[in-house]
Amino acid sequence: LRRRPAQFLELLAEFGYAWPGGIAPEKREHVARVAMQRIEILSDFGPLVAFLAAPPEVSRESLALDKASPEHVRDALDRAIAALSNLEGDSWNQAAIGDALKKAIAEMGLRLKDVVRAYYVAITGSPTSIPVFDAIELLGKSESLRRLQSALERVA
C-alpha cells in the first residue's frame, strides 16, 4: 500500500469503504496519508481510524502503564491538557502538538515514550493507532482536550 494519499483514497473507494460522518471530507487526505503507513490490508483502515468519528471507551485499566505510576499518568494527562490548551490557531499542528507534549513530559523528568501509551489510549482508545500527534491534530483542539480530560477523570 505504498501509494500517494490520493491513490489510496481511490483504492478505499473501490474497496467500498464508507467514510463515517464524523470525518470531514477536507480531512480525509490527511487521514489517508498517516493511516496508509500503518495498515497491511485495506480492511484494517476502518478500525484504525474509527476513533476519529466516535469517542472510544477508555477504562482506568487501559490507561495503566508499565514504566509510569498512576500518579505519573495523572500528571502526564494534566500537563498535556495544559500544554495543548495554550496552542492557538495555526499552532494546532502535529509538530507544535508534539513539541508541547514532549516539553510537558520533560518537565516531569520523564521521556515521552514512558507515557505516550496513555495519550494513545486517551485519544484513540488503543495503545497503537495512527501517530498520536496527527490524531490530536485531526480531532481538533476541543475534542482532544475533552478526551484527555475524560481519561484524566478515569485515572483520578
Side-chain angles (χ1 to χ4, degrees), residues 56-135:
E57 291 293 322
V58 177
S59 68
R60 180 182 180 123
E61 296 76 26
S62 66
L63 291 161
L65 301 177
D66 292 337
K67 294 187 177 188
S69 69
E71 293 77 23
H72 281 127
V73 173
R74 278 193 295 278
D75 196 19
L77 291 168
D78 193 45
R79 287 174 185 257
I81 292 166
L84 296 179
S85 293
N86 291 326
L87 294 180
E88 298 293 336
D90 290 343
S91 294
W92 193 262
N93 62 65
Q94 70 95 339
I97 290 164
D99 289 345
L101 292 177
K102 288 173 189 172
K103 182 179 177 196
I105 297 309
E107 290 170 358
M108 293 173 58
L110 295 174
R111 296 171 303 191
L112 183 65
K113 72 178 191 172
D114 296 332
V115 297
V116 74
R117 183 180 186 277
Y119 294 155
Y120 268 104
V121 171
I123 295 296
T124 72
S126 172
T128 59
S129 185
I130 65 172
V132 73
F133 305 150
D134 286 292

